[in-house]
Structure formats: structure tokens, C-alpha cells
Amino acid sequence: MISRSNIFIALAVWVTLLQGCTRKDDPQFANYINEPVKSQVRGLDPTISASDLYTGLVMGQIYEGLMQYAYLERPVKVEPLLSDGMPEISKGNLVYKFKIRKGIFFHDDPSFKATNGKGRELEAADFIYSWKRLADPAYHSDGFWIFDGKVKGITKWREDAIKIGKADYSKPIEGLSAPDKYTLVITLAKPFPQLLYVLTMTGAWALPHEAIENYGGEFQNHPVGTGPYKFRSWVRNSKIILDRNPNYHDDHYPTKGEPEDMNRGLLTDAGKKLPLNDGVIFWELVEDQPRWLNFRKGETDWVEIPKDSFDSAVKKDELIDEIKKQGVELQKWTEPDLTFDALNMEDPILGKNKYLRQAMMMARDSAAVIQKFYNGRAIIAQGPIPPEIAGYNPNFKNPLKVFNLVKAKELLKKAGYPDGKGLPEFVYDTYGGTTSRQLGEFFQHEMAQLGIKIKIHDNTWPEFMDKQKKRKSQMFGMAWSADYPDAENFLQLFYGPNGSPGPNASNYNNPEFNKLYEQTAVMQDGPARNAIYQKMVDIVAEDCPYIFDAHRKTYTLNNGWFKNFKRNLINLGYIKYYRIDQQAKKELKPKL
Amino acid sequence: MTTNQPGTGLWADAFLRIKKDRLALVCLLIIILYALVGFLAWAGLIASDYSAISNDSYAAPSSAHWFGTDIFGRDVLLRTIHGTRIALSIGLVTSLIAIPIGVTLGALAGYFGGIVDEFIIWFYTTMDSIPDLLKIIALSFVLGRGLLSVYISIGFTTWVGLCRLIRGEFLKHKSRDYVQAANAMGASHYRRMFIHILPNVFHIILINFSLRFIMGIKTEVILSYLGMGVEPGQPSWGIMIDDAKLELARGVWWQLVAATVAMFFLVLAFNVFTDALREALDPKLKNK
């Protein structure tokens, strides 16, 4: 029975519990970065969790690859990390010769029995071993595509392993060789201009075979790499602590950046040895509200502003004074991503009728979507290529990407369905989640204005993916985020042979487009390639396999003590650049 | 001798008792009101433009919008009214599915006993060993989303309780004198079960109907909240509460309040009325 005294007791218990949740500042973590993670982190094995962004953010501090992205320069570009200088590239762009930096050591770990637990020096052979592991069918890695069909002989090596049932690591791969301890030669089956980009990615990092042999399946809980941080502990669904690697190799804060970086204080630490902090604590905060409140208490150093807390923090595109006074800074970032509604080109009605698709495109009010769902934090997508990406053309205006119901109705008439008469009811798939459903409801409303009837089908995420892979969805909303800063990553979404289960979700197949894509796939970045890219964008803009929606912007807040913050989602090894201003933290934290 | 005295049979007596209970009458009135609103909404006579979108997103309650507007500027009051239609239809249709199943199986088991009884007990025990919500969710995965599949999944999974009760009553009644007498007069099994015994256990069905009506409404709200209920675009209370989950952070409370208040009064009225009904009909509670 609930009585008033019971309620008071419950309240008292609740308040005590809440207080118990507030952390006392532990002096040993004074110089640690407190980093929020938006999603649960999976096992810390780069081969297995290769395509999981959030796990990658943690692993990116422990492991390293041959290349990394320059921290400050934009548009982003690759620079050597474990490679000693840029590779020598043969004529014809087929052979890449890397020199591995000398004096790079793995973290100290009991697995290195020959050296009594001291970390062993990195060799070229470590990369070959790690990439064989990526190709090993036993690991079911979703990161293998980065080398699949590109590095000579690697696909054959994998197929042989599938045939025999076991991968033979002693068997060489034709395209990978180590003539000496510090030289790695990659031979490609065909030119692959994005090779240097994919070498920064999770699947291409160097792993020590000793630790994998020692820990077996437990390797994902005992990560051992060459990176600036060593693994200390992991409380599942709560936090992961990494400590500074005392033996970290010579790595320095960049001295070059964008022109305004100097004024923003991003070059204060230019040339200093990295890392600039003692470690990092990743807080797994999946729900929006706890993540937001933790930041507001100063428990994490920065946060993306969640959609529903936006109005309470930002007015007229500026941070409200009350928060500004606490030393908090607002920063705005354009993300290399694209949101869209895909139309299945294999559908007998949608796929056969260009005017119908064009009518739907013109009935889509992306400005309203941006207002309602992204708090105005996005720009309307004219085509597939987002800003910040090589090949993006800021002057391109898609003639169909204008919200105009009158013209849309004309197009629908031209399509043979005046006012939607004669069209069956279409099914629009969404995946479980309130926002996804609301997006669907808005799409349904917009199409209803044309007379097109839409039924929303709410799926679970696996159901949703499965339907897409089997080409059963008629239309659905999705987003694509860049894997690397090259427009090719977005144009491949329309390449015929990439149809589902590949990334071409609308199963668009246009011989003219395919030909151009194949032509550019082996071309290096430059005006010639950009001109063809624009032709390809024009083709898909006219054909409308996607209803383009938006390129999102992210607004972040960071505390005044948090320095050197420059967001770039494709750069995974970023914590080493962050610095805590101890003096500022002492002054500002009590104000929160 | 003939008299003009009103009869004091079970039903007449119950009617008199309920008439005396003010609270129960008020609750009955509330239920009738909800039913009326639901019917009018179904007929399209009120709240027909519940899905009209305006530019007035998240407007606070005012004289133009008594319960404010939602993310797309749709009137929350109109959506709540339409939610009533959906809630009531779910209560009604699922009862119409579950009660015949429960009564028939319970009657067969209790009346015939033996192997029939054993089979039916085995069947409903198996059904009952799976938690209801899991069964409903599993069924809605198979049937797909939508109002129809909610009807079916709730209707076909929630008859076990009633089946047990009816079986027990039939066990008791089948050896009573009046059934024996009917047997002696050559009444068929069917006649004994449904003409003689059933009217004597009908009050249980009525009480159960009222109880599971509430259960049906609540289940739909939970399912829709989890994204497995009625089709998106339909303004069910569960979908409204699901929307409100995100809006609360920006101080938009009216959608949550409208849906919960609407549900609260309906469920409360049903609960109080069911209690009164039971007191009026159950011989054990009658003379308290």
C-alpha cells in the first residue's frame, strides 16, 4: 500500500542513490580525457569489429595503421603514421612500396614471451599477418572489402581457405611481400586510388600475432597495439579506461592547419610530443538524456547536442548566455553524410517510371524535414556528394530538388497517374525507433498531397536490413556516412554491380553510369575525375533512384578546459591531440 | 396466484444493486461517453481531420488547440479522440475473439472431463507457460504490423484465464440437480451445456469481459509504444506516448498528459464498474 511516508522513504533512497552516482574527482584521472561514446562498444578486435564506428573510436587509440588523416588540414588528407614517409608508387599505380618506421614497439604484454613481456618491434610481416587474418573466413570480418579484389591474390587466398576449411597463414599472398624487415610491398590487381585511405581504416591496422595466439578468443578483451594508449580496464556498458603508452614512438602535434586554426587556438601545441594527456576514459552513454546531463555536470569533456535538448541550449544559432558563462563553447561541423529515401528500381512501377520518381522528389520538402528533425542543422542535399569530400561541387543545383507541388503534380500527370489515380498503395519501410517512424509519417503526408498513398511498415533493424538485402523494400529512408574522403564512396551507391546485398540499396543499374564509374575507379583525384563525377551526379539527379534529403551538421558543446578539439569522424586516432587545461578546469568545473 | 412484484432473479437483482451504487453509475456513464466518442470518431462525424498537418509545431495548449499540437502541428486533442476509437475497438474485438475461445474450450473440458479435459488442460497450460507479451510480440512478427494483427495477436493469446474459470464452473454445475434433471428429460449434451449451464455462469463471462477489455487497451498501448502495435500514422495512445518520450526533454508535456489522462479515466471507470458488477453478480460477495 502506498502511503505518504512510504513515498518519502522512496524519495530519500532515490536522492541518496543519485548522490552516490556523482563521481568524486579522482586525482589519478585529473589529466585523463573523458570521452562520451554514443553506442555500446563491441569486442576490441579490429578484425572482428571492423565496420563498427563506435568500437573503432576506442580501438583507434590502441592500434595504428600505415597511414592516418592529418588532424587539422581540410579537406582531409592522408599522411604517413607507421609508414616512414609516403610510399613509392610504381608507374601505372599498381605497386606500392612502404618503408616501415624503425623503433616502433608493441605495448608491453605477457604475450611477448621471447622478450619477457617487453613489447616487440613492429615489422613489415605484422601487416601481412594482420591482413591475412582479415581475409581469414573464420573471423567473418565485415572489413575485408577494403582489400577484396584489389590486392593481388588475396581473394584467391580467402577462397582457398574456404575450400579447405582452414586458413593457411604460411601460404603467401601474391600481392603482399616483405623483402626485408622494414619494407612492405603491396601489388594491386588493378589501380585503386583509394588504397591510402583504406590503409587508415580499422581492418588495416597492425596486430601482433603473439597476443592473438596467447589470448585466442579473449584477444578482444586484451588489445595490444602500437598506439599512444594501452588498455587498462573495461566495465561493460559503463566505461573503458586507457592509459598513456610510456613507450609511444616519436609523434608530434601538427604544425599545419586551416587558416583560422591559429585564431581558434588549435596550433598552440604545434610540434609538441604526443599524446598531450595521461589517458582516456570512454563513457558508454547510449541514451540522449544521461549523455547530455553528464556533460552538463562536467563529467565528460564534450557532447553532441541531442535533438530534444537543442532548444534549451541554442537560441538563434548561438549558445545561450547562461551556458556560455560557464565557459562552454559551441562548435558547428558539417558531416560528410547523406540522408535520403531510396526507391527500389526493381519495383515494376517505381523503377519503370522516371516522371513518377521525379514527382516524388519535387513533393519532398527537405527544408521542413531539416527544421523538424535536425533543428535546422543541415543543408539540403542537391545530389549524393556531401561537402568536405573531394569531388563535392558547391555550385551544383539540382533542378528537381525544389519543393514545388504544382510542378510535382504536372510530372505525376506526365507519368500517367494524374492526382495519383491508378497507383497502388506503396509500402514505406522504417526501422524501430520513434524518429524513424516520425520521418515515415512525414513522408506519408507529403506523398498524400500528390495523391500517392503510402503505408508505413515499421520493422526491427535486422528485419529492415534483411528486406533491403533481399530487394523486397519498395522505399525506405536511410543515411550514408563517408568511409573515406572521396566522392567515389558515395557514387558507388549507384553502381549496378553493387546492387543489394551490396551498398546500392535502390538497385539502380544504368549502363551509362556504370561505364563512367568504372572509368573513374582507377583514376587519381583531379579535375579530370571531378568532371566525370559531375556527369555521374547529373545522371542520378535526373533519374531519381534516391530522393535526396540532407547533409547534416553536428553542433557540439565542449567545456572551456578542453583544448585542441577538431571533429573528423573518419579520423579514428584523435585522442592523442586533446589537452586538458588544468587551471581552467579548476576554475570552471565548480561553476557547472 | 399472480403478483405484480418485480422478479428478484439474478439479473434483476444485479440491476437493482448497481442502480443503488452511485459511483458505479458514474463510471458506467463515463464508459458510455467514451463509447459514444469512439463511435462518432469511427463514423467520421468528429475529429475527422486528426492527421491535418500545420506549420504550428509543438504549440502549447490554447483555445485553438486545447491539448496543443505535436511535431507536425497536428492537434493533440483530435488525436486523443481518435485514439479512443482505436483503444475501444481493440478492447471490443479482442474480447469477441478471446471470450468464445475461452468459453467453448472451458465448457468442453469441464463438461466432458476425461481425455478431452486432459487435452485442453495440456493445451492451455502450454499456452500459459509462455509470457503473454512475448506471445503477442511473436505473433505480431508473423502477422506483420497493423490494427488487424493487433486484434488477432491479443485475441488469440489471452483466453486462458477465462477458460480455467469456466472449466471449474462447468465441473461444479454438471453434477447439479438441474442438469441431472435435464439429462433425465433427454436433453442433448449441447442443450445441457449451452442452454442449461451457460446462463448460470454468464456473470463470470461478463465480469471477465470487462476486465480483459482494460487489459486489451493497455496491451495495445504497450505494443504501440514498443513500435509493434498499430500502423504508424494511426493516432493510438501508445504511439502518442512514444512520441512524447522524446518531446519531454524540450518541455512538451501535453501529448503525454492527453494520452495518459484519456487512458486513465477509461481504465479507472472500467475497473470500478467491474468491481460493482462483481459485487452485484457474485453470490459470495452479494450480501456483504
Side-chain angles (χ1 to χ4, degrees):
Chain A
M1 176 90 190
I2 295 176
S3 71
R4 199 178 287 178
S5 63
N6 282 350
I7 291 174
F8 278 128
I9 292 169
L11 268 178
V13 171
W14 176 240
V15 169
T16 331
L17 278 176
L18 276 184
Q19 273 174 347
C21 291
T22 344
R23 269 177 288 134
K24 290 272 178 311
D25 286 337
D26 186 338
Q28 70 159 316
F29 295 125
N31 199 22
Y32 277 58
I33 302 296
N34 287 292
E35 177 85 358
V37 190
K38 274 210 296 198
S39 173
Q40 278 171 7
V41 174
R42 286 164 44 187
L44 299 175
D45 183 331
T47 308
I48 295 170
S49 306
S51 74
D52 182 352
L53 173 66
Y54 297 99
T55 308
L57 295 180
V58 177
M59 295 189 295
Q61 320 313 320
I62 302 169
Y63 293 101
E64 292 177 317
L66 286 168
M67 310 300 287
Q68 68 176 353
Y69 289 103
Y71 186 56
L72 298 174
E73 287 170 75
R74 297 290 184 276
V76 288
K77 60 167 227 193
V78 278
E79 61 181 21
L81 179 60
L82 295 180
S83 163
D84 195 0
M86 295 300 273
E88 250 174 62
I89 305 173
S90 73
K91 269 206 189 117
N93 299 313
L94 282 174
V95 183
Y96 286 63
K97 193 167 160 194
F98 290 89
K99 282 280 169 203
I100 310 291
R101 278 173 70 177
K102 289 178 187 165
I104 307 264
F105 288 87
F106 283 106
H107 301 156
D108 295 345
D109 189 90
S111 307
F112 298 109
K113 295 192 176 92
T115 47
N116 264 333
K118 286 283 297 162
R120 169 178 63 78
E121 193 183 5
L122 175 79
E123 299 169 10
D126 288 316
F127 287 98
I128 299 180
Y129 170 79
S130 305
W131 299 346
K132 279 180 178 166
R133 189 170 185 259
L134 192 67
D136 185 344
Y139 291 102
H140 301 286
S141 177
D142 48 8
F144 178 58
W145 64 270
I146 62 174
F147 296 135
D148 191 8
K150 292 151 191 160
V151 171
K152 211 171 188 179
I154 199 165
T155 311
K156 172 97 181 21
W157 189 89
R158 180 186 170 88
E159 278 161 6
D160 287 348
I162 293 173
K163 246 181 256 159
I164 303 164
K166 196 175 180 311
D168 179 5
Y169 282 63
S170 64
K171 213 172 107 184
I173 289 174
E174 200 187 340
L176 296 175
S177 63
D180 66 62
K181 201 176 162 188
Y182 301 109
T183 309
L184 176 70
V185 180
I186 304 177
T187 311
L188 297 175
K190 60 179 182 206
F192 178 37
Q194 291 82 21
L195 177 70
L196 295 185
Y197 294 141
V198 305
L199 290 180
T200 70
M201 292 174 69
T202 318
W205 293 339
L207 318 175
H209 62 90
E210 291 92 338
I212 293 163
E213 283 149 15
N214 184 25
Y215 293 117
E218 275 298 292
F219 178 61
Q220 55 177 324
N221 295 321
H222 296 273
V224 181
T226 60
Y229 299 93
K230 283 180 66 176
F231 178 77
R232 182 202 286 195
S233 68
W234 183 359
V235 182
R236 294 272 161 178
N237 297 330
S238 169
K239 62 177 171 179
I240 298 168
I241 302 179
L242 309 181
D243 301 315
R244 165 207 279 271
N245 170 11
N247 306 323
Y248 188 53
H249 54 82
D250 230 18
D251 191 7
H252 298 272
Y253 195 91
T255 49
K256 266 197 297 187
E258 282 181 289
E260 66 266 35
D261 284 347
M262 187 61 96
N263 297 331
R264 287 156 74 192
L266 284 167
L267 283 166
T268 317
D269 293 312
K272 282 194 188 151
K273 191 171 180 327
L274 300 172
L276 296 173
N277 47 62
D278 291 341
V280 51
I281 308 173
F282 286 95
W283 297 94
E284 291 178 54
L285 296 163
V286 176
E287 295 286 332
D288 280 354
Q289 281 308 302
R291 196 167 58 247
W292 171 249
L293 295 172
N294 264 285
F295 168 75
R296 293 295 291 131
K297 282 192 295 179
E299 305 295 342
T300 61
D301 292 322
W302 69 279
V303 75
E304 283 173 25
I305 309 178
K307 149 177 164 246
D308 290 291
S309 304
F310 188 76
D311 290 338
S312 64
V314 179
K315 293 258 152 71
K316 291 189 184 131
D317 220 33
E318 281 201 42
L319 194 58
I320 62 167
D321 284 342
E322 187 196 331
I323 301 180
K324 216 190 263 173
K325 270 185 207 141
Q326 296 169 323
V328 174
E329 295 159 2
L330 169 68
Q331 305 204 53
K332 302 163 191 175
W333 316 98
T334 314
E335 305 280 6
D337 82 346
L338 168 74
T339 65
F340 56 87
D341 297 295
L343 307 174
N344 189 348
M345 296 295 286
E346 288 191 348
D347 184 84
I349 294 168
L350 283 171
K352 296 280 177 307
N353 202 322
K354 184 168 84 179
Y355 294 122
L356 171 62
R357 297 192 300 272
Q358 290 181 340
M360 293 170 86
M361 171 89 104
M362 294 201 86
R364 178 65 160 167
D365 184 0
S366 292
V369 172
I370 289 169
Q371 269 317 316
K372 287 184 200 313
F373 291 96
Y374 311 126
N375 314 101
R377 293 177 287 171
I379 56 172
I380 296 178
Q382 302 293 333
I385 305 175
E388 310 260 314
I389 290 277
Y392 171 67
N393 176 1
N395 302 319
F396 170 64
K397 288 272 170 288
N398 182 344
L400 293 166
K401 194 62 218 161
V402 188
F403 175 54
N404 188 333
L405 277 178
V406 179
K407 275 199 183 149
K409 279 183 179 159
E410 276 168 24
L411 282 166
L412 195 59
K413 206 168 167 187
K414 228 165 143 185
Y417 305 103
D419 295 318
K421 275 185 203 94
L423 275 178
E425 189 179 57
F426 291 113
V427 176
Y428 181 92
D429 283 299
T430 63
Y431 48 91
T434 312
T435 308
S436 167
R437 169 174 56 70
Q438 289 176 336
L439 275 164
E441 282 187 46
F442 195 64
F443 187 78
Q444 183 184 40
H445 157 76
E446 285 179 316
M447 295 306 129
Q449 289 183 323
L450 278 187
I452 299 175
K453 282 193 231 49
I454 304 274
K455 184 178 161 181
I456 303 167
H457 192 101
D458 205 2
N459 303 275
T460 58
W461 177 253
E463 256 184 307
F464 180 76
M465 292 307 284
D466 190 53
K467 266 192 176 174
Q468 230 185 81
K469 300 270 175 244
K470 292 184 178 149
R471 309 188 177 194
K472 276 187 191 158
S473 269
Q474 274 185 307
M475 48 182 86
F476 52 91
M478 273 277 272
W480 183 265
S481 180
D483 291 309
Y484 41 78
D486 188 328
E488 184 269 345
N489 195 227
F490 287 84
L491 292 169
Q492 55 134 2
L493 301 175
F494 304 98
Y495 179 52
N498 279 352
S500 303
N504 177 358
S506 66
N507 305 306
Y508 180 66
N509 196 355
N510 179 341
E512 191 192 347
F513 183 94
N514 293 350
K515 223 177 96 196
L516 292 173
Y517 177 84
E518 281 153 19
Q519 194 183 335
T520 53
V522 295
M523 282 169 77
Q524 298 292 339
D525 188 12
R529 196 177 66 164
N530 283 349
I532 305 179
Y533 276 178
Q534 187 56 48
K535 252 193 227 167
M536 293 159 81
V537 169
D538 288 339
I539 293 173
V540 287
E542 162 82 14
D543 255 352
C544 290
Y546 282 7
I547 298 173
F548 302 114
D549 229 352
H551 305 302
R552 289 175 287 189
K553 281 187 214 162
T554 303
Y555 281 32
T556 60
L557 296 186
N558 58 277
N559 283 307
W561 62 75
F562 186 54
K563 301 294 178 193
N564 300 340
F565 178 49
K566 188 161 183 177
R567 187 181 160 97
N568 171 13
L569 266 185
I570 52 176
N571 179 6
L572 298 175
Y574 54 95
I575 300 268
K576 61 186 176 188
Y577 303 103
Y578 292 167
R579 179 168 58 83
I580 305 280
D581 182 339
Q582 297 297 338
Q583 191 57 35
K585 190 164 184 177
K586 252 178 232 142
E587 282 164 25
L588 292 172
K589 198 166 176 198
K591 285 193 194 167
L592 293 173
Chain B
M1 196 174 77
T2 53
T3 65
N4 289 331
Q5 288 260 307
T8 44
L10 179 72
W11 298 103
D13 181 51
F15 179 70
L16 285 176
R17 278 165 191 278
I18 286 187
K19 226 169 83 175
K20 273 189 225 144
D21 188 342
R22 279 268 177 79
L23 186 62
L25 280 183
V26 171
C27 287
L28 184 63
L29 202 69
I30 292 176
I31 294 169
I32 292 173
L33 203 70
Y34 267 93
L36 195 69
V37 166
F39 177 76
L40 290 177
W42 172 73
L45 295 173
I46 51 169
S48 55
D49 51 354
Y50 63 89
S51 63
I53 286 186
S54 75
N55 285 329
D56 212 4
S57 291
Y58 297 126
S62 65
S63 55
H65 304 287
W66 289 8
F67 280 108
T69 62
D70 71 355
I71 176 171
F72 301 127
R74 298 177 295 201
D75 189 282
V76 172
L77 178 65
L78 298 186
R79 294 177 70 72
T80 314
I81 289 174
H82 248 264
T84 310
R85 171 182 78 86
I86 288 172
L88 289 176
S89 78
I90 283 171
L92 198 68
V93 176
T94 58
S95 296
L96 291 181
I97 298 172
I99 288 176
I101 299 177
V103 170
T104 314
L105 289 181
L108 289 174
Y111 183 82
F112 287 110
I115 187 128
V116 178
D117 190 28
E118 265 174 47
F119 176 76
I120 290 172
I121 290 180
W122 167 83
F123 184 54
Y124 73 58
T125 323
T126 311
M127 284 287 283
D128 210 30
S129 63
I130 311 164
D132 271 352
L133 205 55
L134 284 188
K135 253 181 306 192
I136 292 168
I137 290 173
L139 260 178
S140 75
F141 268 120
V142 176
L143 298 168
R145 302 294 135 67
L147 203 52
L148 187 68
S149 75
V150 173
Y151 290 153
I152 295 175
S153 58
I154 299 180
F156 279 100
T157 51
T158 52
W159 48 267
V160 174
L162 180 64
C163 181
R164 277 215 183 94
L165 282 174
I166 295 292
R167 173 180 168 269
E169 289 298 311
F170 267 68
L171 270 178
K172 216 161 64 187
H173 279 266
K174 74 171 179 192
S175 52
R176 293 239 167 112
D177 292 347
Y178 74 94
V179 183
Q180 299 296 336
N183 187 19
M185 282 156 68
S188 65
H189 288 309
Y190 170 81
R191 197 175 167 79
R192 268 178 278 162
M193 281 164 72
F194 294 106
I195 308 292
H196 292 271
I197 305 180
L198 192 64
N200 284 303
V201 299
F202 205 76
H203 63 283
I204 292 177
I205 298 172
L206 200 67
I207 294 163
N208 207 271
F209 169 77
S210 175
L211 277 174
R212 36 152 307 110
F213 204 94
I214 305 165
M215 203 274 312
I217 292 172
K218 288 199 289 195
T219 310
E220 184 277 323
V221 170
I222 293 168
L223 280 182
S224 295
Y225 178 78
L226 294 176
M228 278 172 285
V230 303
E231 202 176 282
Q234 296 264 22
S236 108
W237 293 340
I239 286 189
M240 290 174 70
I241 294 173
D242 186 35
D243 278 347
K245 172 178 79 182
L246 295 181
E247 297 165 3
L248 279 176
R250 57 168 83 216
V252 177
W253 47 266
W254 36 90
Q255 182 146 234
L256 180 72
V257 168
T260 26
V261 164
M263 189 168 79
F264 173 78
F265 280 110
L266 180 60
V267 170
L268 184 73
F270 254 112
N271 267 323
V272 173
F273 183 70
T274 309
D275 273 351
L277 200 64
R278 217 174 81 213
E279 274 171 30
L281 287 172
D282 193 331
K284 286 182 216 128
L285 294 171
K286 244 186 211 176
N287 298 317
K288 268 194 179 165

XYZ file of all heavy atoms in Angstrom, chain A residues 378-409:
245
model
N 21.278 21.323 -40.934
C 21.616 20.509 -42.108
C 21.485 21.396 -43.331
O 20.859 22.450 -43.264
C 20.658 19.319 -42.218
N 22.096 20.981 -44.430
C 21.834 21.677 -45.675
C 21.130 20.707 -46.612
O 21.298 19.492 -46.504
C 23.125 22.228 -46.330
C 24.140 21.109 -46.552
C 23.730 23.341 -45.480
C 25.329 21.567 -47.373
N 20.326 21.252 -47.519
C 19.583 20.402 -48.449
C 20.567 19.729 -49.404
O 21.464 20.380 -49.943
C 18.559 21.239 -49.230
C 17.516 21.795 -48.254
C 17.897 20.412 -50.317
C 16.482 22.678 -48.904
N 20.420 18.436 -49.593
C 21.315 17.700 -50.482
C 20.840 17.875 -51.923
O 19.709 17.534 -52.242
C 21.331 16.228 -50.099
N 21.692 18.380 -52.786
C 21.338 18.527 -54.201
C 21.602 17.230 -54.949
O 20.962 16.932 -55.946
C 22.167 19.658 -54.826
C 22.011 21.004 -54.147
C 20.610 21.588 -54.319
O 19.922 21.298 -55.284
N 20.182 22.391 -53.362
N 22.584 16.503 -54.476
C 22.943 15.236 -55.114
C 23.568 14.350 -54.051
O 23.445 14.633 -52.863
N 24.249 13.285 -54.460
C 24.763 12.349 -53.463
C 26.030 12.813 -52.729
O 26.303 12.322 -51.652
C 25.040 11.088 -54.281
C 25.242 11.556 -55.674
C 24.413 12.795 -55.848
N 26.804 13.734 -53.318
C 28.124 14.007 -52.738
C 28.045 15.112 -51.681
O 27.608 16.223 -51.975
C 29.126 14.399 -53.840
C 29.168 13.315 -54.915
C 30.509 14.628 -53.253
C 30.033 13.654 -56.100
N 28.446 14.822 -50.452
C 28.372 15.816 -49.383
C 29.584 16.748 -49.374
O 30.619 16.428 -49.972
C 28.356 14.957 -48.119
C 29.083 13.736 -48.489
C 28.878 13.518 -49.957
N 29.482 17.866 -48.696
C 30.620 18.767 -48.563
C 31.766 18.092 -47.808
O 31.558 17.045 -47.194
C 30.079 19.944 -47.758
C 28.656 19.680 -47.488
C 28.300 18.333 -47.972
N 32.939 18.666 -47.825
C 34.121 18.156 -47.130
C 34.716 16.942 -47.822
O 35.576 16.265 -47.278
C 33.813 17.744 -45.671
C 33.083 18.755 -44.870
C 33.979 19.558 -43.951
O 34.830 18.955 -43.273
O 33.835 20.789 -43.935
N 34.220 16.638 -49.026
C 34.635 15.422 -49.704
C 35.209 15.835 -51.056
O 34.617 16.680 -51.732
C 33.399 14.521 -49.918
C 32.907 13.963 -48.597
C 33.653 13.434 -50.914
C 33.638 12.755 -48.137
N 36.336 15.235 -51.427
C 36.923 15.552 -52.734
C 35.916 15.193 -53.817
O 35.414 14.071 -53.849
C 38.213 14.765 -52.931
N 35.591 16.143 -54.693
C 34.605 15.893 -55.734
C 33.291 16.598 -55.470
O 32.409 16.608 -56.328
N 33.143 17.211 -54.293
C 31.924 17.961 -53.978
C 31.935 19.269 -54.750
O 32.940 19.965 -54.806
C 31.844 18.245 -52.479
C 30.721 19.196 -52.084
C 29.390 18.819 -52.212
C 30.995 20.469 -51.575
C 28.362 19.673 -51.847
C 29.967 21.331 -51.211
C 28.648 20.932 -51.353
O 27.638 21.780 -50.994
N 30.788 19.607 -55.369
C 30.694 20.829 -56.149
C 29.666 21.751 -55.496
O 28.462 21.520 -55.608
C 30.286 20.465 -57.583
C 30.067 21.690 -58.440
O 30.234 22.821 -57.979
N 29.687 21.467 -59.679
N 30.139 22.799 -54.802
C 29.196 23.661 -54.065
C 28.255 24.439 -54.981
O 27.232 24.934 -54.530
C 30.115 24.607 -53.286
C 31.432 24.542 -53.965
C 31.537 23.216 -54.635
N 28.594 24.548 -56.266
C 27.755 25.338 -57.180
C 26.673 24.511 -57.860
O 25.852 25.039 -58.593
C 28.626 25.983 -58.262
C 29.692 26.854 -57.633
O 29.418 27.567 -56.670
N 30.909 26.753 -58.138
N 26.695 23.209 -57.624
C 25.717 22.355 -58.312
C 24.325 22.543 -57.710
O 24.134 22.444 -56.498
C 26.151 20.899 -58.198
C 25.099 19.927 -58.663
C 24.676 19.913 -59.986
C 24.522 19.035 -57.770
C 23.695 19.023 -60.411
C 23.548 18.141 -58.193
C 23.145 18.143 -59.509
N 23.354 22.846 -58.574
C 21.955 22.941 -58.134
C 21.143 21.930 -58.924
O 21.124 21.961 -60.150
C 21.394 24.347 -58.397
C 21.953 25.409 -57.458
C 21.124 25.513 -56.186
C 21.793 26.376 -55.127
N 22.968 25.757 -54.475
N 20.487 21.050 -58.215
C 19.667 20.032 -58.855
C 18.319 20.653 -59.232
O 17.580 21.082 -58.354
C 19.489 18.884 -57.850
C 18.688 17.735 -58.402
O 17.995 17.873 -59.414
N 18.772 16.594 -57.741
N 17.986 20.715 -60.526
C 16.743 21.395 -60.930
C 15.496 20.755 -60.323
O 14.458 21.407 -60.215
C 16.744 21.267 -62.457
C 17.741 20.206 -62.778
C 18.745 20.191 -61.678
N 15.591 19.471 -59.929
C 14.411 18.804 -59.366
C 14.326 18.941 -57.856
O 13.312 18.633 -57.249
C 14.430 17.315 -59.726
C 14.256 16.993 -61.208
C 14.627 15.559 -61.475
C 12.831 17.260 -61.634
N 15.416 19.407 -57.241
C 15.430 19.468 -55.772
C 14.853 20.801 -55.300
O 15.502 21.575 -54.595
C 16.872 19.276 -55.280
C 17.025 18.990 -53.792
C 16.365 17.734 -53.367
C 15.715 17.865 -52.010
N 14.726 16.885 -51.706
N 13.647 21.078 -55.778
C 12.927 22.281 -55.379
C 11.545 21.817 -54.948
O 10.904 21.066 -55.679
C 12.768 23.249 -56.576
C 12.200 24.570 -56.114
C 14.087 23.448 -57.291
N 11.112 22.255 -53.754
C 9.792 21.831 -53.287
C 8.731 22.606 -54.065
O 8.602 23.814 -53.905
C 9.685 22.093 -51.783
C 8.323 21.816 -51.223
C 7.716 20.587 -51.419
C 7.652 22.778 -50.487
C 6.456 20.321 -50.892
C 6.400 22.525 -49.964
C 5.802 21.291 -50.165
N 8.023 21.915 -54.954
C 7.050 22.588 -55.800
C 5.928 21.613 -56.140
O 6.057 20.763 -57.018
C 7.751 23.085 -57.078
C 6.836 23.956 -57.909
O 5.613 23.826 -57.855
N 7.440 24.850 -58.676
N 4.804 21.748 -55.431
C 3.715 20.782 -55.592
C 3.048 20.892 -56.959
O 2.616 19.881 -57.517
C 2.674 20.985 -54.494
C 2.998 20.304 -53.163
C 1.927 20.604 -52.137
C 3.115 18.792 -53.358
N 2.994 22.108 -57.492
C 2.331 22.287 -58.792
C 3.098 21.517 -59.864
O 2.527 20.735 -60.630
C 2.265 23.791 -59.140
C 1.602 23.983 -60.508
C 1.512 24.551 -58.058
N 4.431 21.730 -59.866
C 5.255 21.030 -60.853
C 5.229 19.523 -60.609
O 5.234 18.733 -61.547
C 6.689 21.539 -60.790
C 6.874 22.791 -61.620
C 8.344 22.993 -61.927
C 8.552 24.276 -62.698
N 9.853 24.887 -62.410
N 5.223 19.151 -59.325
C 5.192 17.721 -58.991
C 3.929 17.090 -59.560
O 3.955 15.987 -60.108
C 5.256 17.547 -57.481
N 2.812 17.813 -59.451
C 1.550 17.274 -59.963
C 1.586 17.149 -61.486
O 1.053 16.195 -62.047
C 0.383 18.160 -59.522
C -0.020 17.838 -58.090
C -1.212 18.642 -57.629
C -1.558 18.245 -56.194
N -2.344 19.243 -55.496
